[in-house]
PDB file of all heavy atoms in Angstrom:
ATOM      1  N   VAL A   7      -5.613  12.364   6.634  1.00  0.00           N
ATOM      2  CA  VAL A   7      -6.944  12.641   6.239  1.00  0.00           C
ATOM      3  C   VAL A   7      -7.145  14.122   6.283  1.00  0.00           C
ATOM      4  O   VAL A   7      -7.799  14.744   5.353  1.00  0.00           O
ATOM      5  CB  VAL A   7      -7.974  11.881   7.243  1.00  0.00           C
ATOM      6  CG1 VAL A   7      -9.322  12.533   7.076  1.00  0.00           C
ATOM      7  CG2 VAL A   7      -7.910  10.441   7.008  1.00  0.00           C
ATOM      8  N   SER A   8      -6.591  14.845   7.220  1.00  0.00           N
ATOM      9  CA  SER A   8      -6.776  16.321   7.324  1.00  0.00           C
ATOM     10  C   SER A   8      -6.089  17.012   6.236  1.00  0.00           C
ATOM     11  O   SER A   8      -6.393  18.255   6.057  1.00  0.00           O
ATOM     12  CB  SER A   8      -6.130  16.798   8.657  1.00  0.00           C
ATOM     13  OG  SER A   8      -4.753  16.505   8.764  1.00  0.00           O
ATOM     14  N   GLU A   9      -5.229  16.435   5.429  1.00  0.00           N
ATOM     15  CA  GLU A   9      -4.550  17.111   4.298  1.00  0.00           C
ATOM     16  C   GLU A   9      -5.350  17.054   2.947  1.00  0.00           C
ATOM     17  O   GLU A   9      -4.856  17.650   1.972  1.00  0.00           O
ATOM     18  CB  GLU A   9      -3.116  16.482   4.127  1.00  0.00           C
ATOM     19  CG  GLU A   9      -2.282  16.788   5.313  1.00  0.00           C
ATOM     20  CD  GLU A   9      -0.921  16.053   5.159  1.00  0.00           C
ATOM     21  OE1 GLU A   9      -0.849  14.880   4.583  1.00  0.00           O
ATOM     22  OE2 GLU A   9       0.049  16.653   5.722  1.00  0.00           O
ATOM     23  N   LEU A  10      -6.465  16.290   3.005  1.00  0.00           N
ATOM     24  CA  LEU A  10      -7.309  16.290   1.699  1.00  0.00           C
ATOM     25  C   LEU A  10      -8.678  16.565   2.054  1.00  0.00           C
ATOM     26  O   LEU A  10      -9.536  15.760   2.361  1.00  0.00           O
ATOM     27  CB  LEU A  10      -7.144  14.849   1.252  1.00  0.00           C
ATOM     28  CG  LEU A  10      -7.825  14.644  -0.128  1.00  0.00           C
ATOM     29  CD1 LEU A  10      -7.162  15.421  -1.119  1.00  0.00           C
ATOM     30  CD2 LEU A  10      -7.670  13.130  -0.625  1.00  0.00           C
ATOM     31  N   PRO A  11      -9.011  17.906   1.915  1.00  0.00           N
ATOM     32  CA  PRO A  11     -10.268  18.407   2.302  1.00  0.00           C
ATOM     33  C   PRO A  11     -11.283  17.884   1.222  1.00  0.00           C
ATOM     34  O   PRO A  11     -11.025  17.455   0.106  1.00  0.00           O
ATOM     35  CB  PRO A  11     -10.183  19.975   2.118  1.00  0.00           C
ATOM     36  CG  PRO A  11      -8.695  20.238   2.019  1.00  0.00           C
ATOM     37  CD  PRO A  11      -8.056  19.032   1.547  1.00  0.00           C
ATOM     38  N   GLU A  12     -12.542  18.036   1.689  1.00  0.00           N
ATOM     39  CA  GLU A  12     -13.740  17.613   0.784  1.00  0.00           C
ATOM     40  C   GLU A  12     -13.596  18.426  -0.464  1.00  0.00           C
ATOM     41  O   GLU A  12     -13.418  19.650  -0.543  1.00  0.00           O
ATOM     42  CB  GLU A  12     -14.994  17.892   1.577  1.00  0.00           C
ATOM     43  CG  GLU A  12     -16.301  17.643   0.715  1.00  0.00           C
ATOM     44  CD  GLU A  12     -16.652  16.084   0.700  1.00  0.00           C
ATOM     45  OE1 GLU A  12     -16.323  15.413   1.654  1.00  0.00           O
ATOM     46  OE2 GLU A  12     -17.348  15.798  -0.306  1.00  0.00           O
ATOM     47  N   GLY A  13     -13.857  17.660  -1.632  1.00  0.00           N
ATOM     48  CA  GLY A  13     -13.845  18.425  -2.953  1.00  0.00           C
ATOM     49  C   GLY A  13     -12.582  18.520  -3.548  1.00  0.00           C
ATOM     50  O   GLY A  13     -12.344  19.119  -4.655  1.00  0.00           O
ATOM     51  N   GLU A  14     -11.400  17.854  -2.894  1.00  0.00           N
ATOM     52  CA  GLU A  14     -10.106  18.056  -3.472  1.00  0.00           C
ATOM     53  C   GLU A  14      -9.532  16.640  -3.974  1.00  0.00           C
ATOM     54  O   GLU A  14     -10.041  15.669  -3.620  1.00  0.00           O
ATOM     55  CB  GLU A  14      -9.190  18.716  -2.284  1.00  0.00           C
ATOM     56  CG  GLU A  14      -9.585  20.069  -1.899  1.00  0.00           C
ATOM     57  CD  GLU A  14      -9.355  21.149  -2.983  1.00  0.00           C
ATOM     58  OE1 GLU A  14      -8.315  20.945  -3.681  1.00  0.00           O
ATOM     59  OE2 GLU A  14     -10.143  22.105  -3.114  1.00  0.00           O
ATOM     60  N   ALA A  15      -8.394  16.834  -4.566  1.00  0.00           N
ATOM     61  CA  ALA A  15      -7.716  15.655  -5.073  1.00  0.00           C
ATOM     62  C   ALA A  15      -6.297  15.798  -4.899  1.00  0.00           C
ATOM     63  O   ALA A  15      -5.739  16.923  -4.754  1.00  0.00           O
ATOM     64  CB  ALA A  15      -8.009  15.447  -6.614  1.00  0.00           C
ATOM     65  N   LEU A  16      -5.574  14.685  -4.857  1.00  0.00           N
ATOM     66  CA  LEU A  16      -4.117  14.598  -4.649  1.00  0.00           C
ATOM     67  C   LEU A  16      -3.548  13.664  -5.676  1.00  0.00           C
ATOM     68  O   LEU A  16      -4.020  12.513  -5.775  1.00  0.00           O
ATOM     69  CB  LEU A  16      -3.760  14.099  -3.202  1.00  0.00           C
ATOM     70  CG  LEU A  16      -2.394  13.787  -2.905  1.00  0.00           C
ATOM     71  CD1 LEU A  16      -1.526  15.089  -2.792  1.00  0.00           C
ATOM     72  CD2 LEU A  16      -2.221  13.057  -1.556  1.00  0.00           C
ATOM     73  N   ARG A  17      -2.504  14.010  -6.394  1.00  0.00           N
ATOM     74  CA  ARG A  17      -1.810  13.217  -7.325  1.00  0.00           C
ATOM     75  C   ARG A  17      -0.592  12.573  -6.691  1.00  0.00           C
ATOM     76  O   ARG A  17       0.245  13.172  -6.024  1.00  0.00           O
ATOM     77  CB  ARG A  17      -1.326  14.015  -8.541  1.00  0.00           C
ATOM     78  CG  ARG A  17      -0.601  13.162  -9.590  1.00  0.00           C
ATOM     79  CD  ARG A  17      -0.296  14.145 -10.774  1.00  0.00           C
ATOM     80  NE  ARG A  17       0.120  13.341 -11.946  1.00  0.00           N
ATOM     81  CZ  ARG A  17       1.406  12.997 -12.169  1.00  0.00           C
ATOM     82  NH1 ARG A  17       2.374  13.203 -11.273  1.00  0.00           N
ATOM     83  NH2 ARG A  17       1.656  12.232 -13.217  1.00  0.00           N
ATOM     84  N   LEU A  18      -0.496  11.165  -6.726  1.00  0.00           N
ATOM     85  CA  LEU A  18       0.547  10.456  -6.342  1.00  0.00           C
ATOM     86  C   LEU A  18       1.559   9.965  -7.473  1.00  0.00           C
ATOM     87  O   LEU A  18       0.988   9.268  -8.319  1.00  0.00           O
ATOM     88  CB  LEU A  18       0.069   9.181  -5.574  1.00  0.00           C
ATOM     89  CG  LEU A  18      -0.904   9.357  -4.410  1.00  0.00           C
ATOM     90  CD1 LEU A  18      -1.403   8.058  -3.834  1.00  0.00           C
ATOM     91  CD2 LEU A  18      -0.273  10.221  -3.300  1.00  0.00           C
ATOM     92  N   PRO A  19       2.685  10.645  -7.620  1.00  0.00           N
ATOM     93  CA  PRO A  19       3.457  10.218  -8.726  1.00  0.00           C
ATOM     94  C   PRO A  19       3.941   8.768  -8.543  1.00  0.00           C
ATOM     95  O   PRO A  19       4.011   8.120  -7.547  1.00  0.00           O
ATOM     96  CB  PRO A  19       4.723  11.180  -8.542  1.00  0.00           C
ATOM     97  CG  PRO A  19       4.672  11.547  -7.100  1.00  0.00           C
ATOM     98  CD  PRO A  19       3.222  11.419  -6.598  1.00  0.00           C
ATOM     99  N   GLY A  20       4.323   8.244  -9.742  1.00  0.00           N
ATOM    100  CA  GLY A  20       4.804   6.853  -9.730  1.00  0.00           C
ATOM    101  C   GLY A  20       4.915   6.389 -11.197  1.00  0.00           C
ATOM    102  O   GLY A  20       4.542   7.164 -12.165  1.00  0.00           O
ATOM    103  N   PRO A  21       5.322   5.111 -11.419  1.00  0.00           N
ATOM    104  CA  PRO A  21       5.342   4.614 -12.682  1.00  0.00           C
ATOM    105  C   PRO A  21       3.952   4.656 -13.431  1.00  0.00           C
ATOM    106  O   PRO A  21       3.861   4.928 -14.586  1.00  0.00           O
ATOM    107  CB  PRO A  21       5.691   3.101 -12.591  1.00  0.00           C
ATOM    108  CG  PRO A  21       6.248   3.026 -11.148  1.00  0.00           C
ATOM    109  CD  PRO A  21       5.696   4.174 -10.429  1.00  0.00           C
ATOM    110  N   VAL A  22       2.985   4.458 -12.637  1.00  0.00           N
ATOM    111  CA  VAL A  22       1.593   4.740 -13.061  1.00  0.00           C
ATOM    112  C   VAL A  22       0.951   5.721 -12.019  1.00  0.00           C
ATOM    113  O   VAL A  22       0.643   5.312 -10.803  1.00  0.00           O
ATOM    114  CB  VAL A  22       0.697   3.378 -13.033  1.00  0.00           C
ATOM    115  CG1 VAL A  22      -0.792   3.776 -13.412  1.00  0.00           C
ATOM    116  CG2 VAL A  22       1.298   2.399 -14.049  1.00  0.00           C
ATOM    117  N   PRO A  23       0.906   6.981 -12.283  1.00  0.00           N
ATOM    118  CA  PRO A  23       0.347   7.977 -11.321  1.00  0.00           C
ATOM    119  C   PRO A  23      -1.064   7.691 -10.929  1.00  0.00           C
ATOM    120  O   PRO A  23      -1.924   7.227 -11.716  1.00  0.00           O
ATOM    121  CB  PRO A  23       0.386   9.304 -12.154  1.00  0.00           C
ATOM    122  CG  PRO A  23       1.391   9.100 -13.149  1.00  0.00           C
ATOM    123  CD  PRO A  23       1.258   7.684 -13.584  1.00  0.00           C
ATOM    124  N   VAL A  24      -1.338   7.902  -9.606  1.00  0.00           N
ATOM    125  CA  VAL A  24      -2.713   7.586  -9.099  1.00  0.00           C
ATOM    126  C   VAL A  24      -3.153   8.907  -8.424  1.00  0.00           C
ATOM    127  O   VAL A  24      -2.365   9.657  -7.860  1.00  0.00           O
ATOM    128  CB  VAL A  24      -2.710   6.475  -8.098  1.00  0.00           C
ATOM    129  CG1 VAL A  24      -3.999   6.273  -7.377  1.00  0.00           C
ATOM    130  CG2 VAL A  24      -2.275   5.131  -8.775  1.00  0.00           C
ATOM    131  N   SER A  25      -4.538   9.157  -8.606  1.00  0.00           N
ATOM    132  CA  SER A  25      -5.040  10.275  -7.883  1.00  0.00           C
ATOM    133  C   SER A  25      -6.004   9.778  -6.889  1.00  0.00           C
ATOM    134  O   SER A  25      -6.753   8.863  -6.979  1.00  0.00           O
ATOM    135  CB  SER A  25      -5.895  11.109  -8.859  1.00  0.00           C
ATOM    136  OG  SER A  25      -5.037  11.860  -9.662  1.00  0.00           O
ATOM    137  N   VAL A  26      -6.003  10.535  -5.658  1.00  0.00           N
ATOM    138  CA  VAL A  26      -6.914  10.249  -4.578  1.00  0.00           C
ATOM    139  C   VAL A  26      -7.884  11.398  -4.525  1.00  0.00           C
ATOM    140  O   VAL A  26      -7.524  12.613  -4.524  1.00  0.00           O
ATOM    141  CB  VAL A  26      -6.128  10.027  -3.235  1.00  0.00           C
ATOM    142  CG1 VAL A  26      -7.170   9.762  -2.132  1.00  0.00           C
ATOM    143  CG2 VAL A  26      -5.147   9.006  -3.318  1.00  0.00           C
TER     144      VAL A  26
END
Side-chain angles (χ1 to χ4, degrees):
V7 169
S8 62
E9 295 174 326
L10 189 59
E12 177 79 26
E14 296 291 324
L16 171 70
R17 183 178 189 272
L18 304 175
V22 177
V24 173
S25 290
V26 180

